[in-house]
Amino acid sequence: MPKSRIRKKADYTPPAAKQATNIKLTSRGWVAPVMLAMFLIGLAWIVVFYVTDGSLPIDSLGNWNIVVGFGFIAAGFGVSTQWK
């Protein structure tokens, strides 16, 4: 029985090196301070409302002061989506 021919494999050649592209990130240094400020304002708003038995920060809003506090916290989460 005839022997099959041995195939000659090509030598390994690594793929061509890619050029590194510069990624231009915009400066987002304002995001972290604004985010933390919104969180703290919202937390302080709710704490002041509970500590003063609803007479502060805005008496006429009543229990809607809680919604305002959580609104500041939600705005902080909204700003956090801009953080890179």
Side-chain angles (χ1 to χ4, degrees), residues 40-59 62 65-66 69:
L40 293 175
I41 290 170
L43 180 65
W45 194 289
I46 293 170
V47 167
V48 167
F49 174 72
Y50 277 117
V51 168
T52 62
D53 291 328
S55 62
L56 287 177
I58 301 175
D59 189 28
N65 280 306
I66 298 171

Side-chain angles (χ1 to χ4, degrees), residues 20-66:
T21 58
N22 291 338
I23 298 173
K24 200 173 206 181
L25 297 176
T26 58
S27 177
R28 302 255 171 125
W30 59 272
V31 174
V34 171
M35 175 184 66
L36 290 175
M38 295 292 225
F39 288 154
L40 293 175
I41 290 170
L43 180 65
W45 194 289
I46 293 170
V47 167
V48 167
F49 174 72
Y50 277 117
V51 168
T52 62
D53 291 328
S55 62
L56 287 177
I58 301 175
D59 189 28
S60 62
L61 288 180
N63 287 336
W64 283 97
N65 280 306
I66 298 171

Side-chain angles (χ1 to χ4, degrees), residues 6-21:
I6 298 173
R7 291 184 208 153
K8 195 173 192 181
K9 291 186 179 180
D11 292 337
Y12 173 74
T13 54
K18 291 185 178 181
Q19 293 280 338
T21 58

